[in-house]
Amino acid sequence: MNILVTGGTGYIGSHTCVALIAANHDVIIADNLSNSKIETVDRIERITGKRALFYKIDVTDAASVRSLFSSHSIDGVIHFAGLKAISESTRIPLEYYFNNVVSTIVVAGACLEYGVDRFVFSSSATVYGDNEVPFVETMELLSVTNPYGETKVMSEKILTDIAVTNSAWSVALLRYFNPIGAHESGLIGELPGGVPDNLMPYITQVAKGKLDKLRVFGGDYPTVDGTGVRDYIHVMDLAKGHIAALEKLPEGVHVFNLGTGQGTSVLELVQAFEKANNLKIPYEIVERRPGDIAKSYADTKKAGIELGWKAERSILDMCRDAWRFEKSY
Ligand code: NAD
Ligand code: UFG
């Protein structure tokens, strides 16, 4: 298939482009490079031996997106492009609503106009808010606590409503848990601008000496050791989940959790990183971070049964690959 990947030079997008090319699909990337670098296109080529087409386009711009659809025969879209930092979304909500919701409307609109009926959307476990774990796809989404999460709930709703009136449409709403790690080549990985918000890039920057110590947000949660529990998933397993969704998706709207089903605390992740890489990560436990929840992990049965997909890599693999990328970049 000829797949349009919006946000394809970003963290998850670039790994998914590698997986798409490995599965013999042709890739067209549309990205405005607001949070990624053009050299990623070369790196994808170095890994796969095949060059993806790249367009520097803002996908909230309907004219540019329509022009792209009119000049290529597109079989499916994976829509990654968006802003993704929960805390930033509370400071600049309008930018989040505009970028994330308008981009979904514009890309979906072009799909309708040009007869593209396969749509895979990057949603997030944050839509579950503070529900009971494990999070199951059928849960009501009533407790979202930040504008970023709201943009994902809204985009899911928009895509669902479109599918109801267009019976040929196949839509996968993929709710990612916590992707970490990098491609095993060390050529692509996560490149946060400034001080990282997320745990794994923070740990790797402490390991490299760019930051002096990890601040663990909260040591009094009702968890195994008092620190927050998340479902970390290797980004290459996540990438493969997109291929399964694209290739196996029946008509209609389908929601899938993409996680491992295993919860890991902050301190357990630090210990795993130290063990995998034979390093010490200095840390201190500080106040809870506003907006954080105690536990998030997935019920993964549905993706296993309906997509035949399952995450395969371990926490140690994730830690090794994240460090390989940070070291060599
Ligand atoms: P990322 O920032 O690395 O990638 C997003 C890409 O989209 C970047 O390359 C950026 O330049 C591009 N982009 C942003 N707005 C654009 C626009 N208007 N037009 C064109 N390009 C635009 O982020 P990521 O971690 O790869 O996340 C990809 C998607 O997955 C996002 O939608 C994010 O919300 C979602 N998601 C991420 C996580 C996570 O922990 N990384 C978890 C759940 C969901
Ligand atoms: N944490 C720290 N110190 C840090 C950074 C994080 O202790 O410097 C802790 C957090 O408190 C939390 C855990 O590490 O307990 C994970 O935090 P992240 O910021 O890495 O991830 P979140 O679970 O907060 O959010 C991430 C993405 C969201 C996505 C969500 C899906 O940032 O975009 O996963 O589960 F929606």
Side-chain angles (χ1 to χ4, degrees), residues 6-14 30-37 57-61 79-85 99-100 103 121-126 148 152 174-179 190-191 198 238:
T6 77
T9 42
Y11 173 45
I12 307 171
S14 57
D31 198 302
N32 65 3
L33 301 179
S34 59
N35 197 37
S36 54
K37 297 204 166 104
I57 283 178
D58 190 309
V59 295
T60 61
D61 177 26
H79 179 39
F80 290 106
L83 303 175
K84 63 162 180 177
N99 202 53
N100 291 6
S103 67
F121 176 65
S122 297
S123 190
S124 165
T126 198
Y148 166 74
K152 294 298 181 189
L174 304 183
R175 296 180 180 158
Y176 312 153
F177 281 70
N178 289 57
E190 191 167 8
L191 283 173
N198 294 120
L238 186 69

Side-chain angles (χ1 to χ4, degrees), residues 9-210:
T9 42
Y11 173 45
I12 307 171
S14 57
H15 291 82
T16 303
C17 287
V18 167
L20 281 165
I21 294 170
N24 277 324
H25 298 293
D26 291 319
V27 171
I28 306 163
I29 297 173
D31 198 302
N32 65 3
L33 301 179
S34 59
N35 197 37
S36 54
K37 297 204 166 104
I38 185 67
E39 69 183 60
T40 299
V41 181
D42 298 334
R43 289 170 173 244
I44 294 170
E45 185 179 6
R46 276 173 67 192
I47 295 169
T48 62
K50 211 167 149 192
R51 190 149 188 97
L53 287 178
F54 175 81
Y55 292 91
K56 185 167 186 265
I57 283 178
D58 190 309
V59 295
T60 61
D61 177 26
S64 308
V65 172
R66 292 169 81 211
S67 154
L68 182 63
F69 274 74
S70 68
S71 53
H72 293 279
S73 163
I74 294 170
D75 301 302
V77 173
I78 308 182
H79 179 39
F80 290 106
L83 303 175
K84 63 162 180 177
I86 291 179
S87 59
E88 184 184 57
S89 79
T90 61
R91 293 194 299 274
I92 49 168
L94 189 59
E95 278 84 343
Y96 271 72
Y97 284 109
F98 184 81
N99 202 53
N100 291 6
V101 180
V102 173
S103 67
T104 300
I105 293 172
V106 165
V107 176
C111 287
L112 288 176
E113 193 175 336
Y114 290 90
V116 178
D117 52 20
R118 209 157 264 273
F119 198 106
V120 176
F121 176 65
S122 297
S123 190
S124 165
T126 198
V127 300
Y128 291 110
D130 203 359
N131 257 305
E132 282 286 302
V133 284
F135 297 155
V136 189
E137 289 89 342
T138 48
M139 280 174 163
E140 280 198 90
L141 308 181
L142 297 176
S143 58
V144 180
T145 53
N146 56 79
Y148 166 74
E150 295 289 1
T151 70
K152 294 298 181 189
V153 174
M154 285 180 190
S155 292
E156 287 197 4
K157 175 84 175 110
I158 290 165
L159 295 169
T160 302
D161 288 347
I162 295 174
V164 168
T165 52
N166 292 274
S167 55
W169 256 48
S170 301
V171 180
L173 306 175
L174 304 183
R175 296 180 180 158
Y176 312 153
F177 281 70
N178 289 57
I180 58 170
H183 188 265
E184 32 281 355
S185 63
L187 284 169
I188 55 172
E190 191 167 8
L191 283 173
V195 178
D197 269 335
N198 294 120
L199 181 59
M200 181 53 94
Y202 206 104
I203 291 176
T204 58
Q205 292 199 14
V206 170
K208 206 174 186 176
K210 283 203 226 167

